[in-house]
Amino acid sequence: MSTPTGDGERFALETIEVAKHFGGVHAVDGLSVAIPRGKITCVVGPNGSGKSTLINLLSGMLPLDDGIVVVDGVRLRVVRPHETPGLGITRTFQDVRLFDQISVWDNIMVVLTERRLLPALLERGKSGQRERTEQILRSVGMWEKRRSLAMDLSYGQRKLLEIGRAMALNVNTYLFDEPFAGLFPQMLERVKGLMRQLRSEGRTILFISHNMDIVRELSDHLIVMDSGKLLTEGDAEEVLAQPEVIEAYLGV
């Protein structure tokens, strides 16, 4: 089991005694974990174990009640969502968030221009931004839908576009909240391929999933949570072989 140390060389993200309470509910309760750099880490656990709350804390969507988040060795007691791209972090949501009233193409261009929405759309981007937008849309399989409004996409297509928007930020660490939920097999394979591509580029991925087949296939490192606390973590195959994990999460 790894122990958070503030070691920015080995770990992209760490939490030290992080806590978040909602009334009397301890959604995350003194959690200390370390996310290896350049690897795919999965967080598993039953509903209500604190998985999504953890990602919300790491991305600044929820304030910390206690503890420290360590990003590239830098200790933070406050994480603000508008500052996370500057820290090298971006995320997707279980409930997909897009600019529904604009096209697939413009959803990527808005991210690349890094400006207010209206000026960004009026400018339409420089040639390098247009080339990058095309590259991203082709990689996520959305090139043929580039002129469609985001609101007209299927659920799976919306997920792919949101991942494309995250990729457009070109950061070091990606937080994916249930990226495979509700996807058809073809789209599942595409998302798995995108995650492997990011890992091959040296990026760090933290994702949540209930699909244990996907967890086994993709994960280098595994974190198991229960009732806001860490049950165990470590090499994915070793963790999945532990009797308490098998009994609690694999039903064997």
Side-chain angles (χ1 to χ4, degrees), residues 27-72:
V28 173
D29 191 8
L31 185 70
S32 297
V33 294
I35 313 303
R37 183 179 301 280
K39 304 291 185 182
I40 297 178
T41 297
C42 183
V43 185
V44 300
N47 290 333
S49 62
K51 305 182 298 297
S52 289
T53 301
L54 173 61
I55 283 188
N56 285 333
L57 293 172
L58 292 173
S59 61
M61 300 301 295
L62 288 173
L64 299 168
D65 287 342
D66 200 1
I68 296 172
V69 171
V70 186
V71 182
D72 291 332

mmCIF file of all heavy atoms in Angstrom, residues 27-72:
data_model
loop_
_atom_site.group_PDB
_atom_site.id
_atom_site.type_symbol
_atom_site.label_atom_id
_atom_site.label_comp_id
_atom_site.label_asym_id
_atom_site.label_seq_id
_atom_site.Cartn_x
_atom_site.Cartn_y
_atom_site.Cartn_z
ATOM 1 N N ALA A 27 -18.761 11.524 3.997
ATOM 2 C CA ALA A 27 -18.651 11.027 2.622
ATOM 3 C C ALA A 27 -17.220 10.614 2.292
ATOM 4 O O ALA A 27 -16.987 9.608 1.617
ATOM 5 C CB ALA A 27 -19.131 12.092 1.638
ATOM 6 N N VAL A 28 -16.253 11.402 2.727
ATOM 7 C CA VAL A 28 -14.833 11.050 2.666
ATOM 8 C C VAL A 28 -14.276 11.314 4.054
ATOM 9 O O VAL A 28 -14.426 12.412 4.588
ATOM 10 C CB VAL A 28 -14.083 11.865 1.592
ATOM 11 C CG1 VAL A 28 -12.581 11.611 1.674
ATOM 12 C CG2 VAL A 28 -14.595 11.527 0.196
ATOM 13 N N ASP A 29 -13.631 10.310 4.622
ATOM 14 C CA ASP A 29 -13.331 10.347 6.049
ATOM 15 C C ASP A 29 -11.856 10.042 6.311
ATOM 16 O O ASP A 29 -11.453 8.894 6.453
ATOM 17 C CB ASP A 29 -14.220 9.321 6.770
ATOM 18 C CG ASP A 29 -14.175 9.456 8.282
ATOM 19 O OD1 ASP A 29 -13.585 10.435 8.776
ATOM 20 O OD2 ASP A 29 -14.735 8.578 8.957
ATOM 21 N N GLY A 30 -11.042 11.091 6.321
ATOM 22 C CA GLY A 30 -9.617 10.930 6.628
ATOM 23 C C GLY A 30 -8.884 10.094 5.602
ATOM 24 O O GLY A 30 -8.070 9.237 5.958
ATOM 25 N N LEU A 31 -9.132 10.361 4.323
ATOM 26 C CA LEU A 31 -8.603 9.519 3.242
ATOM 27 C C LEU A 31 -7.203 9.957 2.826
ATOM 28 O O LEU A 31 -6.975 11.121 2.488
ATOM 29 C CB LEU A 31 -9.538 9.593 2.031
ATOM 30 C CG LEU A 31 -9.184 8.676 0.857
ATOM 31 C CD1 LEU A 31 -9.431 7.218 1.222
ATOM 32 C CD2 LEU A 31 -9.986 9.062 -0.384
ATOM 33 N N SER A 32 -6.279 9.007 2.830
ATOM 34 C CA SER A 32 -4.907 9.241 2.362
ATOM 35 C C SER A 32 -4.587 8.224 1.272
ATOM 36 O O SER A 32 -4.494 7.021 1.548
ATOM 37 C CB SER A 32 -3.908 9.108 3.516
ATOM 38 O OG SER A 32 -4.136 10.092 4.506
ATOM 39 N N VAL A 33 -4.435 8.709 0.043
ATOM 40 C CA VAL A 33 -4.100 7.845 -1.086
ATOM 41 C C VAL A 33 -3.104 8.571 -1.989
ATOM 42 O O VAL A 33 -2.967 9.794 -1.929
ATOM 43 C CB VAL A 33 -5.350 7.450 -1.921
ATOM 44 C CG1 VAL A 33 -6.294 6.581 -1.110
ATOM 45 C CG2 VAL A 33 -6.071 8.692 -2.443
ATOM 46 N N ALA A 34 -2.427 7.793 -2.832
ATOM 47 C CA ALA A 34 -1.462 8.354 -3.765
ATOM 48 C C ALA A 34 -1.720 7.791 -5.156
ATOM 49 O O ALA A 34 -1.869 6.579 -5.311
ATOM 50 C CB ALA A 34 -0.033 8.030 -3.316
ATOM 51 N N ILE A 35 -1.761 8.672 -6.150
ATOM 52 C CA ILE A 35 -2.072 8.301 -7.532
ATOM 53 C C ILE A 35 -0.768 8.279 -8.336
ATOM 54 O O ILE A 35 -0.161 9.332 -8.560
ATOM 55 C CB ILE A 35 -3.056 9.298 -8.171
ATOM 56 C CG1 ILE A 35 -4.242 9.592 -7.240
ATOM 57 C CG2 ILE A 35 -3.512 8.790 -9.535
ATOM 58 C CD1 ILE A 35 -5.018 8.382 -6.811
ATOM 59 N N PRO A 36 -0.304 7.106 -8.773
ATOM 60 C CA PRO A 36 0.979 7.025 -9.478
ATOM 61 C C PRO A 36 0.970 7.816 -10.791
ATOM 62 O O PRO A 36 -0.008 7.791 -11.535
ATOM 63 C CB PRO A 36 1.132 5.524 -9.755
ATOM 64 C CG PRO A 36 0.226 4.842 -8.789
ATOM 65 C CD PRO A 36 -0.921 5.773 -8.591
ATOM 66 N N ARG A 37 2.048 8.485 -11.039
ATOM 67 C CA ARG A 37 2.186 9.286 -12.256
ATOM 68 C C ARG A 37 2.286 8.383 -13.489
ATOM 69 O O ARG A 37 2.953 7.354 -13.474
ATOM 70 C CB ARG A 37 3.445 10.143 -12.155
ATOM 71 C CG ARG A 37 3.673 11.071 -13.332
ATOM 72 C CD ARG A 37 4.934 11.900 -13.146
ATOM 73 N NE ARG A 37 4.855 12.695 -11.940
ATOM 74 C CZ ARG A 37 4.193 13.841 -11.826
ATOM 75 N NH1 ARG A 37 3.535 14.313 -12.883
ATOM 76 N NH2 ARG A 37 4.164 14.507 -10.695
ATOM 77 N N GLY A 38 1.587 8.782 -14.556
ATOM 78 C CA GLY A 38 1.680 8.075 -15.823
ATOM 79 C C GLY A 38 0.996 6.727 -15.851
ATOM 80 O O GLY A 38 1.239 5.930 -16.761
ATOM 81 N N LYS A 39 0.114 6.470 -14.891
ATOM 82 C CA LYS A 39 -0.590 5.193 -14.800
ATOM 83 C C LYS A 39 -2.098 5.430 -14.851
ATOM 84 O O LYS A 39 -2.581 6.547 -14.719
ATOM 85 C CB LYS A 39 -0.239 4.465 -13.496
ATOM 86 C CG LYS A 39 1.249 4.232 -13.285
ATOM 87 C CD LYS A 39 1.818 3.230 -14.267
ATOM 88 C CE LYS A 39 3.272 2.919 -13.962
ATOM 89 N NZ LYS A 39 3.849 1.960 -14.949
ATOM 90 N N ILE A 40 -2.831 4.317 -15.015
ATOM 91 C CA ILE A 40 -4.283 4.355 -14.923
ATOM 92 C C ILE A 40 -4.681 3.792 -13.561
ATOM 93 O O ILE A 40 -4.385 2.642 -13.243
ATOM 94 C CB ILE A 40 -4.955 3.547 -16.036
ATOM 95 C CG1 ILE A 40 -4.633 4.151 -17.413
ATOM 96 C CG2 ILE A 40 -6.471 3.505 -15.828
ATOM 97 C CD1 ILE A 40 -5.228 3.374 -18.577
ATOM 98 N N THR A 41 -5.323 4.634 -12.772
ATOM 99 C CA THR A 41 -5.797 4.236 -11.444
ATOM 100 C C THR A 41 -7.315 4.235 -11.447
ATOM 101 O O THR A 41 -7.944 5.172 -11.937
ATOM 102 C CB THR A 41 -5.287 5.205 -10.361
ATOM 103 O OG1 THR A 41 -3.860 5.148 -10.303
ATOM 104 C CG2 THR A 41 -5.863 4.862 -8.993
ATOM 105 N N CYS A 42 -7.903 3.192 -10.893
ATOM 106 C CA CYS A 42 -9.355 3.111 -10.774
ATOM 107 C C CYS A 42 -9.756 3.146 -9.302
ATOM 108 O O CYS A 42 -9.075 2.581 -8.452
ATOM 109 C CB CYS A 42 -9.891 1.839 -11.426
ATOM 110 S SG CYS A 42 -11.699 1.711 -11.392
ATOM 111 N N VAL A 43 -10.867 3.840 -9.032
ATOM 112 C CA VAL A 43 -11.463 3.855 -7.700
ATOM 113 C C VAL A 43 -12.743 3.036 -7.754
ATOM 114 O O VAL A 43 -13.620 3.302 -8.580
ATOM 115 C CB VAL A 43 -11.782 5.285 -7.236
ATOM 116 C CG1 VAL A 43 -12.300 5.264 -5.790
ATOM 117 C CG2 VAL A 43 -10.569 6.185 -7.344
ATOM 118 N N VAL A 44 -12.839 2.026 -6.902
ATOM 119 C CA VAL A 44 -14.034 1.198 -6.843
ATOM 120 C C VAL A 44 -14.576 1.197 -5.420
ATOM 121 O O VAL A 44 -13.883 1.549 -4.462
ATOM 122 C CB VAL A 44 -13.762 -0.255 -7.304
ATOM 123 C CG1 VAL A 44 -13.260 -0.284 -8.734
ATOM 124 C CG2 VAL A 44 -12.780 -0.957 -6.378
ATOM 125 N N GLY A 45 -15.833 0.787 -5.315
ATOM 126 C CA GLY A 45 -16.493 0.707 -4.030
ATOM 127 C C GLY A 45 -17.988 0.766 -4.232
ATOM 128 O O GLY A 45 -18.465 1.157 -5.301
ATOM 129 N N PRO A 46 -18.757 0.393 -3.232
ATOM 130 C CA PRO A 46 -20.214 0.410 -3.362
ATOM 131 C C PRO A 46 -20.748 1.829 -3.479
ATOM 132 O O PRO A 46 -20.039 2.799 -3.199
ATOM 133 C CB PRO A 46 -20.687 -0.266 -2.068
ATOM 134 C CG PRO A 46 -19.585 -0.029 -1.095
ATOM 135 C CD PRO A 46 -18.325 -0.052 -1.888
ATOM 136 N N ASN A 47 -22.004 1.955 -3.889
ATOM 137 C CA ASN A 47 -22.641 3.264 -3.918
ATOM 138 C C ASN A 47 -22.580 3.891 -2.535
ATOM 139 O O ASN A 47 -22.829 3.235 -1.520
ATOM 140 C CB ASN A 47 -24.102 3.141 -4.365
ATOM 141 C CG ASN A 47 -24.232 2.773 -5.828
ATOM 142 O OD1 ASN A 47 -23.354 3.066 -6.635
ATOM 143 N ND2 ASN A 47 -25.318 2.108 -6.181
ATOM 144 N N GLY A 48 -22.216 5.181 -2.504
ATOM 145 C CA GLY A 48 -22.104 5.867 -1.231
ATOM 146 C C GLY A 48 -20.777 5.703 -0.536
ATOM 147 O O GLY A 48 -20.608 6.171 0.595
ATOM 148 N N SER A 49 -19.822 5.090 -1.213
ATOM 149 C CA SER A 49 -18.513 4.879 -0.580
ATOM 150 C C SER A 49 -17.617 6.110 -0.644
ATOM 151 O O SER A 49 -16.578 6.144 0.011
ATOM 152 C CB SER A 49 -17.796 3.693 -1.230
ATOM 153 O OG SER A 49 -17.556 3.941 -2.606
ATOM 154 N N GLY A 50 -17.994 7.122 -1.451
ATOM 155 C CA GLY A 50 -17.216 8.359 -1.505
ATOM 156 C C GLY A 50 -16.411 8.556 -2.764
ATOM 157 O O GLY A 50 -15.606 9.488 -2.849
ATOM 158 N N LYS A 51 -16.629 7.729 -3.774
ATOM 159 C CA LYS A 51 -15.812 7.787 -4.996
ATOM 160 C C LYS A 51 -15.980 9.120 -5.728
ATOM 161 O O LYS A 51 -14.993 9.801 -6.031
ATOM 162 C CB LYS A 51 -16.177 6.629 -5.935
ATOM 163 C CG LYS A 51 -16.077 5.252 -5.310
ATOM 164 C CD LYS A 51 -16.390 4.154 -6.299
ATOM 165 C CE LYS A 51 -17.813 4.216 -6.852
ATOM 166 N NZ LYS A 51 -18.844 4.035 -5.802
ATOM 167 N N SER A 52 -17.212 9.477 -6.029
ATOM 168 C CA SER A 52 -17.447 10.735 -6.753
ATOM 169 C C SER A 52 -17.106 11.940 -5.892
ATOM 170 O O SER A 52 -16.613 12.961 -6.402
ATOM 171 C CB SER A 52 -18.900 10.815 -7.222
ATOM 172 O OG SER A 52 -19.145 9.905 -8.270
ATOM 173 N N THR A 53 -17.349 11.835 -4.591
ATOM 174 C CA THR A 53 -16.961 12.930 -3.700
ATOM 175 C C THR A 53 -15.458 13.152 -3.751
ATOM 176 O O THR A 53 -14.990 14.296 -3.754
ATOM 177 C CB THR A 53 -17.406 12.639 -2.255
ATOM 178 O OG1 THR A 53 -18.827 12.464 -2.221
ATOM 179 C CG2 THR A 53 -17.030 13.784 -1.326
ATOM 180 N N LEU A 54 -14.685 12.076 -3.816
ATOM 181 C CA LEU A 54 -13.233 12.207 -3.932
ATOM 182 C C LEU A 54 -12.851 12.989 -5.181
ATOM 183 O O LEU A 54 -12.033 13.916 -5.121
ATOM 184 C CB LEU A 54 -12.585 10.821 -3.948
ATOM 185 C CG LEU A 54 -11.085 10.788 -4.242
ATOM 186 C CD1 LEU A 54 -10.293 11.563 -3.205
ATOM 187 C CD2 LEU A 54 -10.587 9.346 -4.347
ATOM 188 N N ILE A 55 -13.435 12.636 -6.327
ATOM 189 C CA ILE A 55 -13.113 13.360 -7.560
ATOM 190 C C ILE A 55 -13.562 14.814 -7.464
ATOM 191 O O ILE A 55 -12.870 15.728 -7.944
ATOM 192 C CB ILE A 55 -13.729 12.641 -8.772
ATOM 193 C CG1 ILE A 55 -12.877 11.420 -9.123
ATOM 194 C CG2 ILE A 55 -13.850 13.568 -9.975
ATOM 195 C CD1 ILE A 55 -13.257 10.722 -10.406
ATOM 196 N N ASN A 56 -14.702 15.059 -6.818
ATOM 197 C CA ASN A 56 -15.157 16.440 -6.648
ATOM 198 C C ASN A 56 -14.196 17.243 -5.776
ATOM 199 O O ASN A 56 -14.003 18.447 -5.996
ATOM 200 C CB ASN A 56 -16.561 16.464 -6.051
ATOM 201 C CG ASN A 56 -17.629 16.080 -7.052
ATOM 202 O OD1 ASN A 56 -17.468 16.261 -8.258
ATOM 203 N ND2 ASN A 56 -18.731 15.529 -6.567
ATOM 204 N N LEU A 57 -13.599 16.607 -4.804
ATOM 205 C CA LEU A 57 -12.611 17.293 -3.959
ATOM 206 C C LEU A 57 -11.319 17.555 -4.733
ATOM 207 O O LEU A 57 -10.739 18.643 -4.654
ATOM 208 C CB LEU A 57 -12.320 16.459 -2.712
ATOM 209 C CG LEU A 57 -13.465 16.302 -1.711
ATOM 210 C CD1 LEU A 57 -13.094 15.296 -0.625
ATOM 211 C CD2 LEU A 57 -13.832 17.638 -1.084
ATOM 212 N N LEU A 58 -10.861 16.559 -5.479
ATOM 213 C CA LEU A 58 -9.616 16.721 -6.241
ATOM 214 C C LEU A 58 -9.747 17.781 -7.325
ATOM 215 O O LEU A 58 -8.761 18.443 -7.671
ATOM 216 C CB LEU A 58 -9.220 15.384 -6.871
ATOM 217 C CG LEU A 58 -8.789 14.275 -5.906
ATOM 218 C CD1 LEU A 58 -8.590 12.965 -6.662
ATOM 219 C CD2 LEU A 58 -7.512 14.659 -5.166
ATOM 220 N N SER A 59 -10.954 17.944 -7.875
ATOM 221 C CA SER A 59 -11.167 18.921 -8.958
ATOM 222 C C SER A 59 -11.655 20.267 -8.448
ATOM 223 O O SER A 59 -11.901 21.175 -9.247
ATOM 224 C CB SER A 59 -12.160 18.359 -9.966
ATOM 225 O OG SER A 59 -13.417 18.097 -9.363
ATOM 226 N N GLY A 60 -11.816 20.391 -7.138
ATOM 227 C CA GLY A 60 -12.244 21.663 -6.566
ATOM 228 C C GLY A 60 -13.735 21.928 -6.634
ATOM 229 O O GLY A 60 -14.185 23.012 -6.272
ATOM 230 N N MET A 61 -14.517 20.948 -7.084
ATOM 231 C CA MET A 61 -15.964 21.140 -7.165
ATOM 232 C C MET A 61 -16.609 21.167 -5.777
ATOM 233 O O MET A 61 -17.702 21.693 -5.606
ATOM 234 C CB MET A 61 -16.600 20.041 -8.023
ATOM 235 C CG MET A 61 -16.094 19.995 -9.443
ATOM 236 S SD MET A 61 -16.352 21.547 -10.350
ATOM 237 C CE MET A 61 -18.146 21.609 -10.415
ATOM 238 N N LEU A 62 -15.946 20.573 -4.810
ATOM 239 C CA LEU A 62 -16.362 20.646 -3.415
ATOM 240 C C LEU A 62 -15.172 21.126 -2.584
ATOM 241 O O LEU A 62 -14.034 20.711 -2.838
ATOM 242 C CB LEU A 62 -16.811 19.278 -2.894
ATOM 243 C CG LEU A 62 -18.146 18.719 -3.391
ATOM 244 C CD1 LEU A 62 -18.331 17.287 -2.884
ATOM 245 C CD2 LEU A 62 -19.303 19.593 -2.928
ATOM 246 N N PRO A 63 -15.409 21.971 -1.593
ATOM 247 C CA PRO A 63 -14.303 22.401 -0.726
ATOM 248 C C PRO A 63 -13.930 21.313 0.271
ATOM 249 O O PRO A 63 -14.781 20.537 0.726
ATOM 250 C CB PRO A 63 -14.880 23.630 -0.015
ATOM 251 C CG PRO A 63 -16.356 23.382 0.015
ATOM 252 C CD PRO A 63 -16.681 22.649 -1.257
ATOM 253 N N LEU A 64 -12.677 21.264 0.619
ATOM 254 C CA LEU A 64 -12.205 20.334 1.642
ATOM 255 C C LEU A 64 -12.705 20.781 3.013
ATOM 256 O O LEU A 64 -12.659 21.971 3.338
ATOM 257 C CB LEU A 64 -10.680 20.296 1.664
ATOM 258 C CG LEU A 64 -9.945 19.835 0.397
ATOM 259 C CD1 LEU A 64 -8.465 20.160 0.532
ATOM 260 C CD2 LEU A 64 -10.148 18.357 0.169
ATOM 261 N N ASP A 65 -13.171 19.848 3.812
ATOM 262 C CA ASP A 65 -13.446 20.147 5.212
ATOM 263 C C ASP A 65 -12.181 20.007 6.047
ATOM 264 O O ASP A 65 -12.023 20.678 7.073
ATOM 265 C CB ASP A 65 -14.522 19.212 5.765
ATOM 266 C CG ASP A 65 -15.909 19.551 5.241
ATOM 267 O OD1 ASP A 65 -16.094 20.676 4.736
ATOM 268 O OD2 ASP A 65 -16.799 18.681 5.306
ATOM 269 N N ASP A 66 -11.306 19.119 5.596
ATOM 270 C CA ASP A 66 -10.056 18.902 6.325
ATOM 271 C C ASP A 66 -9.086 18.206 5.382
ATOM 272 O O ASP A 66 -9.475 17.644 4.355
ATOM 273 C CB ASP A 66 -10.290 18.045 7.567
ATOM 274 C CG ASP A 66 -9.169 18.203 8.597
ATOM 275 O OD1 ASP A 66 -8.231 18.986 8.335
ATOM 276 O OD2 ASP A 66 -9.241 17.539 9.646
ATOM 277 N N GLY A 67 -7.805 18.256 5.729
ATOM 278 C CA GLY A 67 -6.799 17.535 4.965
ATOM 279 C C GLY A 67 -6.146 18.371 3.886
ATOM 280 O O GLY A 67 -6.407 19.567 3.732
ATOM 281 N N ILE A 68 -5.297 17.700 3.105
ATOM 282 C CA ILE A 68 -4.472 18.360 2.087
ATOM 283 C C ILE A 68 -4.523 17.546 0.802
ATOM 284 O O ILE A 68 -4.475 16.315 0.823
ATOM 285 C CB ILE A 68 -3.004 18.472 2.572
ATOM 286 C CG1 ILE A 68 -2.912 19.379 3.808
ATOM 287 C CG2 ILE A 68 -2.096 19.002 1.467
ATOM 288 C CD1 ILE A 68 -1.539 19.374 4.454
ATOM 289 N N VAL A 69 -4.626 18.252 -0.326
ATOM 290 C CA VAL A 69 -4.452 17.644 -1.644
ATOM 291 C C VAL A 69 -3.073 18.034 -2.146
ATOM 292 O O VAL A 69 -2.689 19.213 -2.080
ATOM 293 C CB VAL A 69 -5.536 18.114 -2.632
ATOM 294 C CG1 VAL A 69 -5.219 17.648 -4.048
ATOM 295 C CG2 VAL A 69 -6.906 17.591 -2.201
ATOM 296 N N VAL A 70 -2.324 17.060 -2.627
ATOM 297 C CA VAL A 70 -0.972 17.308 -3.125
ATOM 298 C C VAL A 70 -0.972 17.105 -4.635
ATOM 299 O O VAL A 70 -1.316 16.033 -5.127
ATOM 300 C CB VAL A 70 0.055 16.360 -2.466
ATOM 301 C CG1 VAL A 70 1.474 16.744 -2.880
ATOM 302 C CG2 VAL A 70 -0.097 16.376 -0.947
ATOM 303 N N VAL A 71 -0.586 18.157 -5.376
ATOM 304 C CA VAL A 71 -0.533 18.115 -6.834
ATOM 305 C C VAL A 71 0.910 18.332 -7.260
ATOM 306 O O VAL A 71 1.486 19.392 -7.004
ATOM 307 C CB VAL A 71 -1.434 19.189 -7.470
ATOM 308 C CG1 VAL A 71 -1.394 19.081 -8.992
ATOM 309 C CG2 VAL A 71 -2.864 19.073 -6.955
ATOM 310 N N ASP A 72 1.493 17.303 -7.877
ATOM 311 C CA ASP A 72 2.888 17.402 -8.315
ATOM 312 C C ASP A 72 3.808 17.848 -7.176
ATOM 313 O O ASP A 72 4.719 18.659 -7.367
ATOM 314 C CB ASP A 72 3.024 18.355 -9.502
ATOM 315 C CG ASP A 72 2.405 17.795 -10.762
ATOM 316 O OD1 ASP A 72 2.353 16.559 -10.884
ATOM 317 O OD2 ASP A 72 1.971 18.571 -11.621
#
